[in-house]
Each structure stands twice: as structure tokens, then as C-alpha cells.
Amino acid sequence: MFRIGIGHDTHRLAEGRPLILGGIRIESERGAEGHSDADALAHAITDAILGALCEGDLGVHFPDRDPRWKDADSLQLLARVMWLVGERGFRIVNVDTTVMLERPKLRPYITEMRAKLSEVLGVEVDCVSVKAKTGEGLDAVGEWRAVMAQAVVLLESA
Ligand code: MG
């Protein structure tokens, strides 16, 4: 049996915050605001997996009112959700993602992001796609006020 899920996430950008995407620290004057480490890419993937399982969303499992998840490493939250995938008798087939960020260019970081994510997701690196887009100077992404990420995940019975 196959299950498909979609995920989306947005974080506001601010000076003095780290910018972490796919578990990788990005050199940037502006980072992402949030209760956890604000890793929009990890959050979109986690939500896509929860969606495929019909298990609600990130906020249901890791409420931002809960001090346990303050500054949490989002890859650890993803790993917890991967435990749930195994528990339900599924495994990841592939994951496709897009990160929307005006700057800096993410291309130099993408190989490292895919490697890190593939470890947590328990798949080969060629099953994890990370694409990068800018906002072309338009909207909150284009004005360098936000980072967004989208993810689609396919699960199959293990
Ligand atoms: Mg988020």
C-alpha cells in the first residue's frame, strides 16, 4: 500500500537568529524565528509524513507551548515521527522538497542537506530531493522577510 503526504512551513526571518535548513546551518545575516530551531525544511517534511499517516500535524505532536520543544533540534522531531512510520508498518519511498528563500543561495548546502535528511529518513540520498527558489523580489520571501518550504512524501508498506 502507498500513502502520499504534503507539507508546508513558513518562518519569519530576523537578525540574530540562526538559519537552519534540513539540519544544516546556513551562513546568513538573518535567521528564522520560532520556538524550536525553526528549521522550515525539516518541519515541512515532518508534516508531509504526518499527513501521509493521517496523524495530524507537527503542532499536535510537538506543541510550541511545551518547553520540551524550546530550541528543539527539528531533525530529532523528524526522527520521532520516523519511529511512528516504522510503528505503522511503512517506509519512505522518496521525498521531494522546495525551499523558498531570497538569499543566500542555497546551492552550496544542498548536497549536505540531502545527506543529513536521508540519514534520518532511512533512505538513499537519491530518494531525497531539495530544490531552492527565490521569491523574485515579490511577497514576504522576495522581500527577505520569510523562509518557506514545501514537501511531498510517498510512503509504502514495509
Ligand atoms: Mg515551522
Side-chain angles (χ1 to χ4, degrees), residues 26-147:
I26 312 293
E27 282 298 321
S28 173
E29 288 160 40
R30 293 187 188 178
E33 286 187 336
H35 183 70
S36 66
D37 65 5
D39 183 336
L41 178 55
H43 292 178
I45 295 170
T46 307
D47 257 1
I49 294 169
L50 289 169
L53 294 173
C54 272
E55 273 284 350
D57 60 31
L58 201 63
V60 170
H61 292 264
F62 311 106
D64 61 9
R65 299 170 305 282
D66 189 331
R68 270 186 304 169
W69 314 123
K70 174 107 176 78
D71 299 322
D73 174 350
S74 296
L75 288 191
Q76 287 191 11
L77 308 186
L78 180 56
R80 282 170 176 257
V81 168
M82 281 308 300
W83 178 86
L84 191 60
V85 169
E87 187 74 5
R88 292 289 209 81
F90 284 96
R91 64 170 169 243
I92 305 278
V93 177
N94 74 305
V95 176
D96 186 21
T97 68
T98 303
V99 180
M100 284 150 281
L101 180 69
E102 196 63 9
R103 58 184 178 269
K105 290 286 181 214
L106 292 177
R107 186 159 301 167
Y109 300 97
I110 283 181
T111 301
E112 214 181 335
M113 285 181 199
R114 292 174 61 211
K116 194 138 199 179
L117 289 167
S118 69
E119 261 174 51
V120 181
L121 295 165
V123 291
E124 295 296 321
V125 74
D126 66 358
C127 297
V128 181
S129 157
V130 178
K131 309 186 300 299
K133 307 295 273 186
T134 70
E136 296 282 338
L138 304 165
D139 68 34
V141 170
E143 291 170 359
W144 202 32
R145 292 188 287 114
V147 55

Side-chain angles (χ1 to χ4, degrees), residues 9-11 40 43 58:
D9 197 32
T10 303
H11 282 266
H43 292 178
L58 201 63

